[in-house]
Amino acid sequence: MRFRPPAGTRTEPPPADDAAAWITGASPDGWFTEPPEVVVDRDEILIWGRVPTPELSAEASDADRAAAQAGRIHQFREDTRDDRIKVARQVEHRYQRKVSWGVRCGDTSELFTHLSAPVMTRLRQPERQVLDTLVDAGVARSRSEALAWCVRLVGEHTEDWLGELREAMTRVADLRRQGPTTV
């Protein structure tokens, strides 16, 4: 039986610094053409694998290539389902996070499963009006979807800055680990 903290208490999951290496080792040989890309946050581990691009004739259209790639991804999903579930259970037990799978083939990417975590926030009227405008304009179906759209948009346009921030946070965490331990 797994320990469950009291309601309202959040405990941090164990570190997942070695998750990419562990997942690469746990994945059967031949699944991917390169080591999987592993993206970790405190709730989820997302495993992106690249599968071989199907060979088509030189005359194949872009639509043919997209269809072939989608077919390859679909076949991979069907062929590996049971083994992916086994690996995911092991990863979830080891790192105490949900596991999601995605596959890339050529220019096509498909996310099979993913965690959608609710996030509570308090917004003032001007911020709510932004969300309502997005809903009224048909960009999103709800305030929740509009907020997710805004977060994705900010993420796309600030990836360099967020990358630098993540690097700085990693450096701070490293320095903390190197410092004296508390009693």
Side-chain angles (χ1 to χ4, degrees), residues 9 18 58 72 75 105 114 141 147 151 164 167:
T9 305
D18 64 346
R72 176 65 51 91
Q75 196 60 49
C105 181
H114 58 90
R141 293 180 300 217
L147 185 56
V151 169
E164 288 180 33
E167 287 176 23

Side-chain angles (χ1 to χ4, degrees), residues 152-183:
R152 282 192 302 274
L153 184 64
V154 169
E156 288 172 11
H157 293 289
T158 60
E159 193 55 42
D160 292 339
W161 180 81
L162 288 174
E164 288 180 33
L165 182 60
R166 287 183 189 112
E167 287 176 23
M169 290 168 43
T170 300
R171 180 73 178 126
V172 168
D174 290 344
L175 290 171
R176 283 186 182 139
R177 279 194 291 276
Q178 293 172 8
T181 58
T182 57
V183 179

Side-chain angles (χ1 to χ4, degrees), residues 13-179:
D17 300 338
D18 64 346
W22 198 93
I23 290 164
T24 299
S27 300
D29 292 339
W31 265 14
F32 306 124
T33 60
E34 58 192 40
E37 176 188 350
V38 178
V39 182
V40 178
D41 69 14
R42 69 178 58 129
D43 300 310
E44 178 180 29
I45 296 177
L46 176 55
I47 304 167
W48 281 105
R50 181 165 293 282
V51 296
T53 304
E55 291 187 32
L56 298 174
S57 69
E59 299 85 41
S61 68
D62 288 344
D64 290 338
R65 276 188 271 290
Q69 292 169 11
R72 176 65 51 91
I73 290 171
H74 175 77
Q75 196 60 49
F76 174 85
R77 183 178 189 178
E78 294 302 316
D79 291 347
T80 63
R81 184 180 317 269
D82 291 339
D83 289 330
R84 282 186 296 106
I85 290 170
K86 287 178 192 173
V87 171
R89 285 183 180 148
Q90 295 169 3
V91 173
E92 287 174 358
H93 177 74
R94 181 178 175 97
Y95 298 107
Q96 297 176 13
R97 295 166 172 89
K98 286 294 183 188
V99 171
S100 300
W101 293 91
V103 171
R104 294 187 172 112
C105 181
D107 298 331
T108 305
S109 296
E110 185 176 334
L111 189 59
F112 299 160
T113 56
H114 58 90
L115 179 66
S116 181
V119 178
M120 297 296 293
T121 186
R122 295 184 186 279
L123 300 176
R124 293 193 164 101
Q125 187 180 40
E127 296 150 341
R128 292 190 311 267
Q129 287 174 334
V130 169
L131 299 181
D132 291 340
T133 299
L134 293 171
V135 171
D136 293 344
V139 173
R141 293 180 300 217
S142 65
R143 282 180 172 177
S144 176
E145 194 175 281
L147 185 56
W149 182 87
C150 290
V151 169
R152 282 192 302 274
L153 184 64
V154 169
E156 288 172 11
H157 293 289
T158 60
E159 193 55 42
D160 292 339
W161 180 81
L162 288 174
E164 288 180 33
L165 182 60
R166 287 183 189 112
E167 287 176 23
M169 290 168 43
T170 300
R171 180 73 178 126
V172 168
D174 290 344
L175 290 171
R176 283 186 182 139
R177 279 194 291 276
Q178 293 172 8

